[in-house]
Amino acid sequence: MSTRPRPSFQAIYLQLAKILAERSTCHRLSVGTVITTLDYRKVLAVGYNGNATGLHNGCDRAEPGNCGCLHSEENAVINCDAPRHTEKVVFVTHLPCVQCAKRLINLGNVKSVFYGEDYRIKDSIEILKSVGIEVQHLPLSPQ
């Protein structure tokens, strides 16, 4: 029997989000998102930040916070075709911004959000908690 430590599902999916972030075309910040079922048995959607499909692979502007890229959470929500009644867990490399927090709320039945790194504005924590979504910082492990 193996005695090596097994990584938690949370650590695995946050690491997957980190790998997905490598596909980002944003020049300022690479972010990745994974949405799973509550039992962690299925990946429901993934996303990373970048421009819309078919547009050039880069930011529209250099202005921080206004680069024109779709956020990773936004892309994951767009890609998630699970019904609202399906309970969901979200893993993001960085704490979602306020607008992405609202998108995750509207996705329906998100129970938890795990994030690896802080975002410059932390208002989304209270917004998510106010509707009963657990928010947990889980520092990203180096690869």
Side-chain angles (χ1 to χ4, degrees), residues 24-29 48-52 55-61 63 65-72 74-75 100 103:
S24 170
T25 57
C26 181
H27 300 300
R28 188 178 67 81
L29 184 65
Y48 51 89
N49 57 329
N51 218 334
L55 297 180
H56 73 282
N57 281 333
C59 300
D60 294 335
R61 296 172 292 280
E63 181 184 346
N66 191 26
C67 70
C69 288
L70 296 170
H71 290 193
S72 72
E74 189 172 19
N75 276 322
C100 284
R103 289 178 181 101

Side-chain angles (χ1 to χ4, degrees), residues 82-132:
R84 287 182 61 78
H85 64 81
T86 300
E87 294 177 320
K88 302 165 189 78
V89 179
V90 178
F91 300 88
V92 190
T93 56
H94 295 74
L95 178 67
C97 70
V98 167
Q99 292 304 313
C100 284
K102 291 177 180 182
R103 289 178 181 101
L104 293 172
I105 291 167
N106 274 359
L107 179 60
N109 233 347
V110 171
K111 299 299 181 185
S112 300
V113 173
F114 291 89
Y115 70 96
E117 296 184 29
D118 281 322
Y119 181 63
R120 58 190 161 88
I121 300 168
K122 298 181 184 175
D123 297 347
S124 60
I125 294 173
E126 288 309 312
I127 290 170
L128 291 164
K129 286 182 176 182
S130 75
V131 296

